[in-house]
Amino acid sequence: MLFNSYEFILFFLPITLIVFIFLSRINTEKAIGWLVLASLFFYGWWNPDYLLLIIGSMGVNYFIGTLINRTLQEKGRAKLILIIGIILNLSLLGYFKYANFFLESAAYALSSNFELHHIILPLAISFFTFQQIAFLVDAYKGITKEYKFLHYALFVTFFPQLIAGPIVHHKEMLPQFMDRANMRFKLSNITIGLAIFSIGLFKKAVLADGIAVYASPVFALSDAGEQLQFFQAWGGALAYTLQLYFDFSGYSDMAIGGARLFGIKLPLNFHSPYKSLNIVEFWRRWHITLSRFLRDYIYIALGGNRKGRLQRYINLFVTMLLGGLWHGAGWTFVIWGALHGTYLIINHFWHFIAKALKLTFLETSKLWRGFSWALTFTAVVVGWVFFRASHFDSAVGMLQAMAGLNGVSLPYGIAAALGGFSSYLQTAGFEFVHGGGAKFVLTYLWILALLPIALIMPNTQQIMSRFSPSFNDIEDNAKTTLLPQNPAYRRFKFQFNVRWAITLALTLTFGMLALAQVSEFLYFQF
């Protein structure tokens, strides 16, 4: 079931909330049990067969976690149980998500034509697998304990974060579930939750889906082997860059807003990443909970920065390589992860050089900040080309066109609008072609409309900051963002007044009216 669907908004969410409020006044355990049942129904809406997988996974991990807690006095035995638990989880994920990928790669390498049985990827398996691995590791460290399967089931299946995150920790969620104050009906939680949900719906249904129609056709042409032109390729790449931004940002808002209706705060997962001045800051703002998981359970486990600079760089690269593979079973995702691993190495090495040569004063230069943002943003866009392309040759073709290797052309309609300036463009090597003028204009109008929203406007976290919308509020660092918070942001602070009521009513209305067709969130495929 999609957040951005009439079934969810008009039926599932209000019915689930009303019954929850009623049961919470009678018995907390019954309210929790209702949320578990509702969440399983939400998950099984796509395919009831998936329910057997997630219930089985929960049962096994709950049992393993219990064994770990009972054997903590025997570290060797507890560690063995932990390793078995991790192997079981990764084996399950590996079979469903990566078996086809590795078999196809092996068949290609061996020039074999043996037929492969396609394995359907269960919904959200990457998210609930990582979440449960984190639970087992935290149990081994003595951080978390779980005594009731019902509570554990809600931790795993809580529907606002089940399908595409955020990846939550047991220690973050269970205290909230067990706090009777959270289970009581509060009008403020309903209002705040609806406000955040409405903003997220608008981002997804109006902005992300609105610009998607200018991204998908360009990548489809590249996938088919068509030779693209400079502006065509950049238009498609930038359109996808903004589509993914508002799609994931919208989902994150809807997840946080949906959880807040039930009095629960989820961790912040998205915080204006395109404002970042370097790739390190980008990863502190993009998919924050995944970055946290990769840091805590892979990067630090590999040694982090404790074994010298070279080993640190190797650890960074391996971590991002695995992060890329987590996003998808394909070589384009591996390359995307490798690219970001390389970016991080260059970024850390530059900080080392800048500190050694006493160049840190550049951080205060507006010109340098502008250059740093442009370099970071361009690097991210290049990475998204591999992330979106269906195969390696398609991504390379897009990048060749973006580099101008296929020439630069404009529609004749644009040339007519430019008047005499078009002759100068022709002498500079521009070509003019028939057709495509309207699509060209609309593509770049959407880009020019949405890019400033991502770069200048306050995000949902900042708009709702007076009400602590997420579990982990994050403040902007003025040294690492393009435009730090300014006094004008105060005008966008949410308040309980008529102006905001009208604004959010219109936002929700436009979002609902835009739900003309099924449009999955991009991160659902991971």
Side-chain angles (χ1 to χ4, degrees), residues 439-512:
K439 182 176 289 188
F440 178 94
V441 171
L442 289 172
T443 298
Y444 281 94
L445 280 178
W446 270 95
I447 291 169
L448 291 174
L450 298 194
L451 191 57
I453 298 175
L455 299 180
I456 299 173
M457 295 290 289
N459 59 40
T460 309
Q461 174 79 9
Q462 293 161 334
I463 292 172
M464 306 298 299
S465 60
R466 290 174 177 165
F467 304 95
S468 299
S470 61
F471 182 84
N472 53 333
D473 298 336
I474 297 175
E475 293 296 329
D476 280 328
N477 186 337
K479 293 182 179 180
T480 55
T481 53
L482 179 64
L483 294 171
Q485 288 198 39
N486 58 68
Y489 276 15
R490 288 198 297 268
R491 299 178 182 178
F492 295 94
K493 297 285 187 181
F494 175 78
Q495 299 179 54
F496 294 112
N497 58 33
V498 175
R499 178 174 66 88
W500 269 105
I502 295 173
T503 300
L504 290 173
L506 291 173
T507 301
L508 181 60
T509 300
F510 283 124
M512 292 284 288

Side-chain angles (χ1 to χ4, degrees), residues 91-141:
S91 298
L92 185 71
L93 180 63
Y95 172 74
F96 281 104
K97 190 166 184 176
Y98 302 109
N100 282 324
F101 168 62
F102 288 122
L103 288 174
E104 288 170 1
S105 298
Y108 178 80
L110 298 173
S111 300
S112 173
N113 293 321
F114 63 86
E115 189 174 337
L116 301 174
H117 174 67
H118 184 68
I119 301 170
I120 298 175
L121 180 67
L123 199 63
I125 189 171
S126 296
F127 288 95
F128 68 71
T129 299
F130 271 30
Q131 195 159 302
Q132 294 188 102
I133 288 175
F135 165 72
L136 296 180
V137 174
D138 289 348
Y140 173 75
K141 292 178 179 178

Side-chain angles (χ1 to χ4, degrees), residues 386-397:
F386 283 99
F387 194 84
R388 173 62 177 80
S390 63
H391 52 81
F392 177 78
D393 290 341
S394 172
V396 171

